[in-house]
Amino acid sequence: MILGIASGKGGTGKTTVACNLAAALECSVVLADCDVEEPNAHLFLKPHWDVVTPITLDVPVVDAQKCTLCGACQDLCQFKAIAVLPETVLTFHELCHSCGGCALVCPAEAISWGSRQIGERRTGRRGPIRVVNGTLRIGEAMAPPLIGAVRQAAADIPNCAVVLVDAPPGTSCPVVASLWGVDYVVLVTEPTPFGLNDLALAVAAVKKMGIPCGLVVNRCDVGDDRIHTFAHGENLPILLEIPFDRKVAEQYAQGHLLVDVFPEWKTMMQGLYKAVVRELERASSGASPKEWGAAPETREVSA
Amino acid sequence: MKEFVVISGKGGTGKTSLVAAFAALAGKVVLCDADVDAADLHLVTRPRIVETHDFVSGHEAKIDPERCTQCGLCRQRCRFGAIDEAFRVEPLLCEGCGVCAHVCPERAVKFLEKTCGVWYVSNTVYGPMVHARLGIAEENSGKLVTLVRREARRLAESRRMDLILTDGPPGVGCPVIASIGNADAVLAVAEPTVSGRHDMERVLALANHFRVPAAVCVNKCDLHPQGAHEIAEEARKRGAPFLGFIPFDPLVTRSQVDGRSLVEYGETLVVRSIQKVWEGLQALLEENADGALEPFEDTPMAWDRAQA
């Protein structure tokens, strides 16, 4: 199963849920950290890295000898990555989407492919957990191809029961690249106006991708009941509620895995996984979605 | 005219609440919400929308089934896997490169301009505000960011206002790059956690890469005081002025629920801390005007490698 963990808004606890879920599941699991702009999962899982792979994009290289300055490549390029001047051709590799169009239209066959590094992908392990992440080069705008490379590496790991995909915040290209093809999305949110605003956007994006989703309400006691009202209206199951706990926040701040410090977190994360499995079974059996208002799997976290 | 941008590496650090508080402290400013992916500033500034515009950017391919002979050239050439078995274009995967339209021998691919979102000009009690809403799962957020910043600048010029306060997006990618170029200063808001420190270092490296002066403050500092001090130390070591610690306070959430700026709740510790950061920031903008403040030196990738 490929399980996405997303949130619309940052700082709601995606990485906390993803890392602790990975550590609580007693099966072979891959955690793919797709927040390549700010990868954080490794700070908590502290994996031993085995392989570091530079990830590159194809970019056009123009052979000035062959180029007739006809301008066909510039006309085709939608991203302004190539400019034909009276005496030369300029390429702007950081704008290039590697669509291949310029080489395709060049009548003089003057364009060949070079490569440009956009970041690095790392794979490693912590006990039975395999970890894959990507680190976008600073100043680099093209996150989706690196995210694709992280997803690919996660998919290539054999004999793996569960792939957890930790998605970046927002609803645009990086999120689509992260969640494309996952079986279920857990949206981590908090019951504040910012939380709800961004959750509504995330739910719309996940629905547009046609993926079933459910909610984890983090810091469920800090705001009001707006998330519940929304979940009811959208017919979304609330899979887990986690109250705010200063001790938990402090342990997180220091980079500790919560399942290691608080045994009840392990039960809670396993409960979350079971709830997801139940939702998927329900969906495949064609039954109606879980009745809203049923008690979430687990809740109380004693300090 | 000056523009300063509040960024954070990661979301949820309190950027938007801070921007709203700064706006209240500043009096008259032009507000700009550059987090077009998940805009929140409107939730605490109570804007009255006065202008609404479509954001049209890029193209999207569409195959006309009447003309398509399913020859397969487009699928073969599409590098994004956006054309399915039935020769339909999946909009979420289409990058709008136009290769399919170019190769189609039947001219069956329509290559249409795309509306990707909406942008607004509003009035708030703190001054005018430019904000936007990117369409769900749309591309070109960087371009929309560039647009809202340009409109904010235009507004500031026409109304003779000399300060633009911009609420930036999280991360270090495309939208953030679009948010900080040519800004007079950025403030990086960090949380005192291991991830907060990691993110702060990457965001400072980004500011340095684009040669924009950056300062740092730590929000929710009492959740991990030692971590907060380490971040302050790290910022100073990198030549980024450290502007202060802001404590964790449930009042911040409360103000969101009420839809009001923090400053309206009177002289609490959290408000006084924000005030101090704001004063530091003003001093920084002044200094910068005299060219006294230089972007700091840093080697971004080296640090990340060391972490591995």
Side-chain angles (χ1 to χ4, degrees):
Chain A
M1 172 175 36
I2 310 175
L3 180 59
I5 294 145
S7 76
K9 178 179 159 55
T12 53
K14 264 188 315 296
T15 302
T16 308
V17 169
C19 291
N20 286 287
L21 190 56
L25 290 180
E26 281 151 348
C27 63
S28 54
V29 49
V30 177
L31 182 91
D33 188 349
C34 288
D35 190 356
V36 300
E37 295 182 36
E38 302 288 6
N40 283 157
H42 66 285
L43 299 172
F44 300 92
L45 288 172
K46 305 176 183 75
H48 170 76
W49 296 116
D50 302 319
V51 187
V52 180
T53 317
I55 301 298
T56 58
L57 276 185
D58 289 346
V59 287
V61 178
V62 182
D63 181 344
Q65 301 295 316
K66 290 186 184 166
C67 176
T68 62
L69 302 169
C70 72
C73 53
Q74 176 183 273
D75 293 345
L76 182 104
C77 181
Q78 297 295 315
F79 311 109
K80 300 188 169 67
I82 203 157
V84 182
L85 305 180
E87 291 183 356
T88 183
V89 177
L90 294 179
T91 52
F92 303 100
H93 288 167
E94 65 279 13
L95 299 177
C96 175
H97 287 224
S98 305
C99 71
C102 49
L104 199 65
V105 297
C106 179
E109 294 188 352
I111 296 178
S112 60
W113 296 103
S115 72
R116 170 175 86 86
Q117 188 175 341
I118 54 170
E120 285 175 346
R121 178 181 69 197
R122 286 195 286 252
T123 54
R125 61 182 78 222
R126 169 204 167 101
I129 307 169
R130 306 287 294 259
V131 184
V132 186
N133 82 0
T135 309
L136 194 68
R137 187 177 61 77
I138 294 293
E140 172 59 57
M142 300 282 176
L146 179 56
I147 292 169
V150 171
R151 284 287 310 270
Q152 188 58 54
D156 288 346
I157 293 173
N159 304 323
C160 194
V162 183
V163 177
L164 299 175
V165 175
D166 189 3
T171 61
S172 68
C173 343
V175 177
V176 174
S178 300
L179 296 182
W180 191 258
V182 310
D183 299 307
Y184 194 87
V185 176
V186 169
L187 287 163
V188 186
T189 184
E190 55 183 21
T192 63
F194 290 8
L196 177 61
N197 182 63
D198 300 348
L199 173 68
L201 298 171
V203 167
V206 171
K207 285 191 170 172
K208 198 166 175 180
M209 280 183 266
I211 312 170
C213 63
L215 308 182
V216 169
V217 186
N218 196 10
R219 300 187 272 267
C220 61
D221 45 355
V222 300
D224 48 21
D225 60 355
R226 61 185 72 214
I227 293 291
H228 289 81
T229 311
F230 174 78
H232 194 177
E234 293 278 321
N235 211 0
L236 293 171
I238 293 179
L239 307 165
L240 174 69
E241 291 183 282
I242 310 172
F244 176 76
D245 184 332
R246 207 184 173 97
K247 288 201 183 74
V248 168
E250 286 165 3
Q251 290 296 321
Y252 165 85
Q254 293 167 50
H256 297 304
L257 269 184
L258 301 175
V259 291
D260 290 347
V261 191
F262 306 106
E264 59 276 24
W265 265 75
K266 189 164 181 178
T267 326
M268 195 160 74
M269 289 294 117
Q270 288 173 342
L272 170 62
Y273 183 70
K274 280 185 206 137
V276 169
V277 170
R278 259 203 307 279
E279 284 300 316
L280 279 170
E281 278 167 0
R282 211 182 303 266
S284 65
S285 70
S288 60
K290 181 175 172 175
E291 189 59 29
W292 181 82
E297 193 55 27
T298 44
R299 28 189 319 159
E300 278 315 305
V301 189
S302 56
Chain B
M1 185 211 312
K2 301 262 176 59
E3 179 187 9
F4 99 81
V5 186
V6 181
I7 54 175
S8 71
K10 193 68 106 198
T13 56
K15 275 187 305 293
T16 303
S17 298
L18 271 182
V19 169
F22 290 155
L25 292 170
K28 279 280 170 208
V29 285
V30 175
L31 285 167
C32 174
D33 192 346
D35 187 359
V36 298
D37 230 28
D40 281 339
L41 191 57
H42 64 282
L43 298 173
V44 275
T45 53
R46 286 167 284 173
R48 199 163 42 79
I49 296 173
V50 289
E51 287 175 39
T52 304
H53 305 268
D54 279 343
F55 167 58
V56 180
S57 175
H59 292 77
E60 188 173 279
K62 212 172 175 176
I63 298 173
D64 178 356
E66 298 289 312
R67 301 185 83 152
C68 174
T69 59
Q70 310 212 336
C71 70
L73 265 177
C74 55
R75 279 191 62 199
Q76 194 188 321
R77 294 295 186 183
C78 176
R79 290 209 177 181
F80 308 104
I83 300 170
D84 69 11
E85 300 284 325
F87 292 93
R88 277 181 314 234
V89 179
E90 169 52 69
L92 289 172
L93 296 179
C94 177
E95 294 263 325
C97 68
V99 164
C100 52
H102 176 81
V103 298
C104 180
E106 307 297 332
R107 296 180 174 274
V109 183
K110 282 185 280 184
F111 197 49
L112 306 167
E113 271 204 329
K114 195 160 81 153
T115 301
C116 307
V118 205
W119 63 276
Y120 312 95
V121 178
S122 294
N123 285 328
T124 75
V125 287
Y126 312 113
M129 168 162 157
V130 183
H131 49 131
R133 184 167 187 162
L134 190 69
I136 299 296
E138 282 293 354
E139 291 175 42
N140 288 324
S141 61
K143 281 189 185 164
L144 183 52
V145 168
T146 305
L147 187 147
V148 294
R149 284 186 66 209
R150 192 184 65 218
E151 291 302 323
R153 192 156 280 263
R154 189 175 292 174
L155 208 59
E157 270 161 13
S158 72
R159 303 213 187 164
R160 295 170 198 279
M161 297 174 77
D162 47 7
L163 184 64
I164 303 169
L165 260 175
T166 301
D167 188 7
V172 295
C174 171
V176 188
I177 290 171
S179 297
I180 68 170
N182 292 323
D184 294 279
V186 301
L187 173 68
V189 185
E191 278 190 37
T193 61
V194 289
S195 42
R197 176 172 171 170
H198 180 252
D199 301 338
M200 188 266 303
E201 300 192 8
R202 279 175 63 80
V203 102
L204 284 186
L206 183 78
N208 178 58
H209 184 90
F210 290 102
R211 306 201 68 73
V212 182
V216 173
C217 70
V218 173
N219 196 12
K220 311 177 199 172
C221 62
D222 49 335
L223 287 183
H224 186 202
Q226 194 200 333
H229 283 290
E230 282 168 16
I231 288 176
E233 203 45 50
E234 186 62 40
R236 288 194 193 100
K237 217 155 71 191
R238 288 164 179 256
F242 184 76
L243 299 184
F245 297 106
I246 302 163
F248 173 80
D249 190 335
L251 189 62
V252 177
T253 308
R254 176 70 196 285
S255 75
Q256 281 182 27
V257 173
D258 297 348
R260 295 165 65 183
S261 171
L262 268 172
V263 176
E264 298 175 34
Y265 295 83
E267 273 274 302
T268 56
L269 179 60
V270 64
V271 170
R272 277 201 304 277
S273 315
I274 293 173
Q275 206 152 7
K276 231 182 114 202
V277 174
W278 173 240
E279 281 159 16
L281 217 40
Q282 281 174 302
L284 192 72
L285 285 169
E286 298 276 310
E287 254 182 81
N288 195 23
D290 312 329
L293 188 81
E294 282 294 312
F296 46 91
E297 286 308 318
D298 188 34
T299 48
M301 281 307 261
W303 185 84
D304 277 317
R305 286 226 173 74
Q307 283 289 296

